Amino acid sequence: MTYSAPTQPQLGVVGWLRWMWRQLTSMRTALFLLLLLALGAVPGSTFPQRSLDSARTAQWIADHPTAGPWLDRLGFFEVYASPWFSAIYLLLFISLIGCVLPRTKILWHQVRSAPPKAPGRLERLSAHTTAEVDLPPEQALAEARSALRAKRYRVHAHDESTLSAEKGYLREAGNLVFHVALIGVIIGVASGYLFGWRGDVIVPVGQTFANTLIRYDTFSPGPWVDPTALTPYTVRLDSMDVTFESEVQGRGQFGMPRDFTATTTFTPDGGTPRTEIVKVNGPLETGNGTVFLLGNGYSAKVTVRDADGTVVYRDSTPFLPMDNFYKSSGAIKVLRAGGDLGFSGFFLPTGTIDEQGPRSLFPDLLDPGLVLTAYEGELYPNANPQSVYSLDTSGMKQLVDDKTKEPLRLWLKVGDTAQLPGGRGSITFDGVERFAGFSIRTDPGKSLTLVSSLLALAGLVASLVIRRRRVFVRVTADEGRSLVSVGGLGKGDDDGIADEIAQILARLPRTP
Amino acid sequence: MTDQTLATYSNLSIYSAMAVLTLAMILYAVHLARLMPSKEREPKRELVPVGAEVGAVGTDAGVGIAAGDSASTLTGGAIDCGWGNLVEEAWVEPAGARKAAGMAWMLTLLGTALVVLGVALRAAEVHRWPLGNMYEFAIVGSMFALLVYCGWALRRDLRWLGLFVVTPVLLTLGLAITVWYTDAAELMPSLKSVWLAIHVTVATLSVALFGIGASIALIYLIKDRVPLTGKLGFLRRLPEGPALEKLAYGLHIVAFPLWTFTLIAGAIWARQAWGAYWNWDPKEVWTFVIWAVYAAYLHARATTGVSRRAATWIAVAGFACIIINYAVVNMWFVGQHSYSGIS
């Protein structure tokens, strides 16, 4: 007995590609990808994300030495830029395009061609009614036609005794608009990423910010942005007014921010200066970037003198707020011959030191204090860039109290001067000023994104509200009168089709 | 009146509403219990498919237009068939059940009015749109759910649904006044915007609609699965499975565009307040996840080969995401939407 392997048709390369395309563009795949997209987005909310909070991300990885690095490799701290998340939405969009194109073609043909011929037996349709009309067949048909027209049907007569009518093409059109608009949203988001930039800068009261690259504390341009081509307008911070909740004592309310207002003088490139208010919900449009007020805090004005009383440092140093009561951390870096001095610690707007350590009791300046530890040595031991808000103490030695031999801790109120041990001079806390944290951003894609998403919404509503219906009419002569038979067909769940037919028949002159 | 007095009255109003709604809930339960088929009065129901009925009448040419008219009433009743005219002939609703439902309905109206009053007094107390913290979201959401139910129940018989709307609303109000309660206060700067009224109102309304939709979806899923005998016999008095499924779908297709609008309005506001329309903030992520899940529901329902049951499960999963978004993300996830007022 000989076996011959069953011969199967060979798919070939093109066949396989076609098969894959069919699979990808099938509704089931789209459904699966949609659910996968929802699922894939979740880790971005449960794990800290590097682009949002790099410090918290680093902390999380440090706290979880086993899982941290693995999750990092798998992109869990940069979910929305990870290859697997990108793969999901790119496949989804390819699937979407593959679905939209043929459907557009079908709709195009349907709109251009007449509604199909009436089926032989109208009573087989999902809704059907017959009525006797006191008119000759031709007139009955004409009446039926105008009744259908009045209900906004496209009407076509394939022969003498029937009418074919259809309406609700906008349902499918809306559906297609919705899907195409989603592609618009993606393009808008992508172009915002490619052509947009954002820069952050801390501006103390009284100082002026100029829109040039070097003036920014951080600047993140999109890949296709020329960062040297910024328009050099200036923004001077005239005053920074803040209000915090001091009346309501309920939980979670005391000390909450109530109002932030930055009063600025904005001078456009080559223009005249004008006063502009920047608030949290009221950004300033400059023509080259929008200025948002995203933060505020305090700078400590500090003077450091050497043993002879000569001023070696006098500057205002911003401290970054860490909690709702503006306990703020920062570092004062004093470069000098014979060993740099570095101070790091906290600024407390309403400061106290108790069993919980140094903390602030209220975010406003009721009793400001500085808590500092001091270091001596090399501030910049290697060429690595370092944060202005923290010290790199790898090349430094902590100063100790002459008497107690404990690490030196300074607790300064405004006006206080403390002597540094070993005849190193003194440090004076001269005062406090506020700063505003401005974020200047451009997003050339945002209009496209907005228009596309509104179109998507309009398309969605149309596709859910509008009914696609076909109605067929057949008229047969019956002794001078006419027998009008109407059948209707609705797409999807259409409970109203019988009602619709009744309404159409109601427009015909009745038999008494 | 001082704000303190207003606060007292607002809370009093919510407490009274809860008392009234508790009674309504009990009476709705009594109503359903009295619908239980008793042995001697086992109904002989024979549901005629709507289409067939129309066709059958329609072929009788003599009836003519009248057939069309009856067709319209039948389709109107098709959604609550099992409850409408078709069934009434075979089975008469017990007087006790009707009485209980009548009282429950009056109490629901009263409870709704009290919740509306509570929200209005809260708004007067805080001098702003009352949507600034979780307590306020919860009472406004409950108000919307009750208003939607009452408005809808005026147009069709929804007495069977009362229990399944009033109970979750009561639960929400209870959590609101105990766990989420926040003293009235001014808003933080980022919330001071006209978009608060637009974005959060629509979000709350669509959550209320999704909530009622999820209730009906669950009834459908349970009814479809369990044997309708014994203690669950009352389920037979509820609308038929396909009608329930359609009702749930109907609510979802209203809520979904509203949710889409919430997403867009939120993005516009985010750009205004935070500088970028999309930041992948946990709340934004979950709003998007919810949107994707409900989009999947609508797709699943339109996909041949996916059963209505499976599709409805996706809708229920969507509401589970809404609950996570509200109860978990607000409280536990670090993000820019940390407005719970609870810390």
Side-chain angles (χ1 to χ4, degrees):
Chain A
M1 208 167 136
T2 52
Y3 273 113
S4 66
T7 45
Q8 288 177 335
Q10 294 294 304
L11 273 176
V13 178
V14 178
W16 276 107
L17 285 175
R18 182 171 292 154
W19 179 82
M20 279 163 64
W21 178 249
R22 288 256 166 79
Q23 289 300 310
L24 182 60
T25 56
S26 77
M27 192 82 161
R28 275 174 165 276
T29 311
L31 183 59
F32 175 72
L33 286 171
L34 202 49
L35 286 170
L36 205 59
L37 185 71
L39 191 65
V42 171
S45 70
T46 55
F47 295 103
Q49 297 295 293
R50 195 163 277 132
S51 54
L52 295 176
D53 195 341
S54 57
R56 212 160 66 83
T57 309
Q59 189 59 46
W60 201 96
I61 296 174
D63 291 348
H64 301 80
T66 324
W70 271 106
L71 289 174
D72 197 12
R73 250 165 260 158
L74 294 172
F76 274 74
F77 303 108
E78 206 62 89
V79 167
Y80 309 109
S82 69
W84 50 269
F85 190 77
S86 313
I88 297 171
Y89 73 77
L90 287 177
L91 281 174
L92 189 60
F93 271 87
I94 294 170
S95 163
L96 188 155
I97 293 165
C99 184
V100 162
L101 285 180
R103 280 172 56 189
T104 312
K105 204 173 143 193
I106 292 170
L107 180 66
W108 177 250
H109 284 299
Q110 283 177 343
V111 169
R112 283 171 51 105
S113 59
K117 264 186 168 167
R121 301 180 61 183
L122 294 184
E123 62 272 19
R124 285 202 173 168
L125 298 175
S126 64
H128 172 254
T129 309
T130 305
E132 248 178 87
V133 178
D134 219 356
L135 292 169
E138 307 81 51
Q139 272 188 43
L141 209 57
E143 289 286 344
R145 179 187 281 267
S146 62
L148 286 164
R149 279 275 165 76
K151 297 216 71 155
R152 294 166 177 274
Y153 276 88
R154 273 181 73 199
V155 188
H156 183 81
H158 285 281
D159 52 50
E160 304 286 295
S161 61
T162 67
L163 291 175
S164 303
E166 188 165 12
K167 79 166 176 187
Y169 296 92
L170 273 178
R171 179 187 180 87
E172 178 72 354
N175 196 312
L176 291 170
V177 164
F178 169 75
H179 286 95
V180 172
L182 289 185
I183 301 173
V185 170
I186 276 280
I187 295 173
V189 171
S191 64
Y193 164 73
L194 291 171
F195 298 102
W197 53 264
R198 58 171 285 188
D200 300 315
V201 62
I202 279 180
V203 183
V205 172
Q207 289 197 23
T208 302
F209 159 78
N211 186 33
T212 53
L213 187 55
I214 53 157
R215 188 61 181 78
Y216 281 100
D217 298 334
T218 59
F219 190 81
S220 348
W224 293 353
V225 170
D226 176 11
T228 58
L230 299 179
T231 313
Y233 55 80
T234 62
V235 177
R236 187 190 126 93
L237 182 62
D238 300 323
S239 69
M240 177 74 221
D241 301 304
V242 300
T243 317
F244 298 98
E245 182 65 61
S246 56
E247 312 224 322
V248 180
Q249 297 287 334
R251 57 176 176 178
Q253 299 286 2
F254 182 70
M256 290 306 275
R258 290 297 172 234
D259 185 52
F260 298 138
T261 303
T263 310
T264 66
T265 305
F266 169 60
T267 314
D269 184 24
T272 47
R274 60 173 192 261
T275 300
E276 291 280 359
I277 303 287
V278 186
K279 287 175 80 86
V280 174
N281 266 301
L284 164 66
E285 302 288 345
T286 66
N288 182 225
T290 310
V291 182
F292 296 94
L293 175 65
L294 290 195
N296 68 88
Y298 300 101
S299 296
K301 286 196 277 188
V302 165
T303 305
V304 177
R305 295 179 174 83
D306 66 12
D308 310 328
T310 316
V311 173
V312 292
Y313 174 91
R314 174 171 281 163
D315 207 350
S316 158
T317 310
F319 280 66
L320 279 190
M322 298 162 65
D323 63 18
N324 285 343
F325 290 152
Y326 282 59
K327 176 184 180 180
S328 315
S329 80
I332 298 163
K333 302 182 182 184
V334 183
L335 284 167
R336 58 165 205 183
D340 301 330
L341 284 175
F343 301 89
S344 87
F346 302 109
F347 169 78
L348 310 166
T350 301
T352 185
I353 300 183
D354 55 17
E355 64 278 4
Q356 294 179 42
R359 62 194 184 105
S360 177
L361 301 174
F362 192 71
D364 215 344
L365 290 172
L366 300 183
D367 185 16
L370 263 180
V371 187
L372 297 173
T373 51
Y375 293 83
E376 191 180 38
E378 203 181 344
L379 273 173
Y380 304 98
N382 41 44
N384 291 344
Q386 54 169 270
S387 162
V388 292
Y389 303 105
S390 62
L391 280 185
D392 178 356
T393 56
S394 60
M396 307 190 90
K397 239 185 85 186
Q398 189 163 15
L399 297 185
V400 293
D401 196 294
D402 280 339
K403 290 181 211 120
T404 62
K405 303 299 173 197
E406 293 282 309
L408 180 71
R409 271 184 77 184
L410 302 169
W411 174 226
L412 301 171
K413 298 279 177 167
V414 174
D416 287 354
T417 298
Q419 296 300 318
L420 298 174
R424 287 180 178 88
S426 67
I427 177 167
T428 308
F429 182 16
D430 298 319
V432 188
E433 62 187 13
R434 291 183 199 275
F435 68 77
F438 288 126
S439 188
I440 295 128
R441 302 177 180 200
T442 62
D443 186 347
K446 68 173 188 296
S447 311
L448 177 61
T449 310
L450 179 63
V451 170
S452 301
S453 38
L454 291 176
L455 268 176
L457 181 60
L460 177 68
V461 171
S463 76
L464 292 174
V465 169
I466 295 171
R467 299 266 185 215
R468 180 85 175 263
R469 282 170 176 163
R470 277 180 188 162
V471 171
F472 302 100
V473 179
R474 173 164 289 124
V475 177
T476 41
D478 181 23
E479 298 166 1
R481 297 186 302 176
S482 309
L483 209 54
V484 180
S485 180
V486 183
L489 201 60
K491 206 168 177 175
D493 297 299
D494 192 348
D495 298 318
I497 187 78
D499 203 16
E500 177 94 346
I501 288 178
Q503 287 178 26
I504 292 165
L505 277 175
R507 285 169 181 268
L508 301 185
R510 283 179 181 224
T511 310
Chain B
M1 265 194 279
T2 65
D3 289 355
Q4 199 51 51
T5 332
L6 285 170
T8 315
Y9 284 139
S10 170
N11 293 352
L12 199 64
S13 189
I14 297 290
Y15 276 121
S16 323
M18 287 175 67
V20 170
L21 289 173
T22 308
L23 283 176
M25 176 181 77
I26 294 168
L27 284 166
Y28 275 128
V30 168
H31 166 70
L32 288 180
R34 290 200 174 148
L35 291 180
M36 294 273 269
S38 52
K39 287 226 170 80
E40 60 272 30
R41 247 192 339 182
E42 187 62 32
K44 283 179 238 108
R45 273 197 305 171
E46 198 177 314
L47 267 184
V48 186
V50 175
E53 179 76 355
V54 175
V57 181
T59 41
D60 184 358
V63 181
I65 301 296
D69 288 339
S70 83
S72 75
T73 40
L74 285 177
T75 10
I79 290 191
D80 48 17
C81 65
W83 196 248
N85 307 341
L86 277 175
V87 185
E88 208 104 343
E89 295 163 359
W91 177 75
V92 181
E93 187 184 21
R98 195 164 54 237
K99 215 167 156 188
M103 286 195 288
W105 167 243
M106 295 318 287
L107 288 168
T108 308
L109 286 177
L110 178 61
T112 307
L114 284 168
V115 174
V116 172
L117 182 67
V119 169
L121 286 171
R122 176 83 182 184
E125 174 199 357
V126 296
H127 309 289
R128 58 170 166 80
W129 206 250
L131 281 169
N133 52 50
M134 282 183 75
Y135 171 69
E136 292 167 2
F137 303 150
I139 58 171
V140 173
S142 304
M143 178 186 83
F144 278 138
L146 287 170
L147 285 174
V148 167
Y149 173 74
C150 290
W152 202 20
L154 288 175
R155 298 181 51 179
R156 66 163 73 234
D157 184 355
L158 286 179
R159 293 175 297 175
W160 56 273
L161 184 60
L163 180 66
F164 308 102
V165 171
V166 171
T167 310
V169 162
L170 256 179
L171 189 68
T172 312
L173 286 175
L175 279 169
I177 209 129
T178 53
V179 184
W180 297 324
Y181 186 76
T182 317
D183 286 328
E186 214 185 317
L187 293 173
M188 59 179 83
S190 54
L191 286 182
K192 284 181 185 163
S193 168
V194 62
W195 289 101
L196 176 76
I198 302 168
H199 166 70
V200 191
T201 307
V202 177
T204 319
L205 175 62
S206 64
V207 166
L209 288 165
F210 276 135
I212 300 176
S215 253
I216 299 177
L218 279 171
I219 299 172
Y220 162 69
L221 289 169
I222 293 168
K223 194 179 174 196
D224 204 33
R225 170 100 331 156
V226 298
L228 303 179
T229 51
K231 284 189 176 152
L232 289 167
F234 74 89
L235 285 171
R236 298 170 67 160
R237 301 281 168 251
L238 267 46
E240 294 299 315
L244 281 172
E245 198 273 340
K246 261 184 201 173
L247 277 182
Y249 175 70
L251 279 166
H252 282 99
I253 60 169
V254 178
F256 185 69
L258 289 175
W259 191 255
T260 310
F261 177 82
T262 302
L263 201 67
I264 297 171
I268 296 172
W269 187 13
R271 193 265 172 187
Q272 198 77 359
W274 301 326
Y277 59 78
W278 196 261
N279 301 290
W280 291 111
D281 169 83
K283 195 86 186 184
E284 289 174 348
V285 171
W286 278 91
T287 304
F288 171 72
V289 167
I290 291 161
W291 187 84
V293 171
Y294 279 116
Y297 163 62
L298 296 185
H299 279 88
R301 211 172 168 282
T303 306
T304 43
V306 176
S307 70
R308 290 280 154 96
R309 275 189 67 84
T312 306
W313 273 116
I314 299 178
V316 173
F319 197 70
C321 290
I322 287 184
I323 292 174
I324 293 173
N325 191 27
Y326 184 73
V328 181
V329 177
N330 279 358
M331 312 275 279
W332 307 108
F333 289 9
V334 181
Q336 291 168 304
H337 276 84
S338 305
Y339 303 130
S340 64
I342 302 161
S343 59

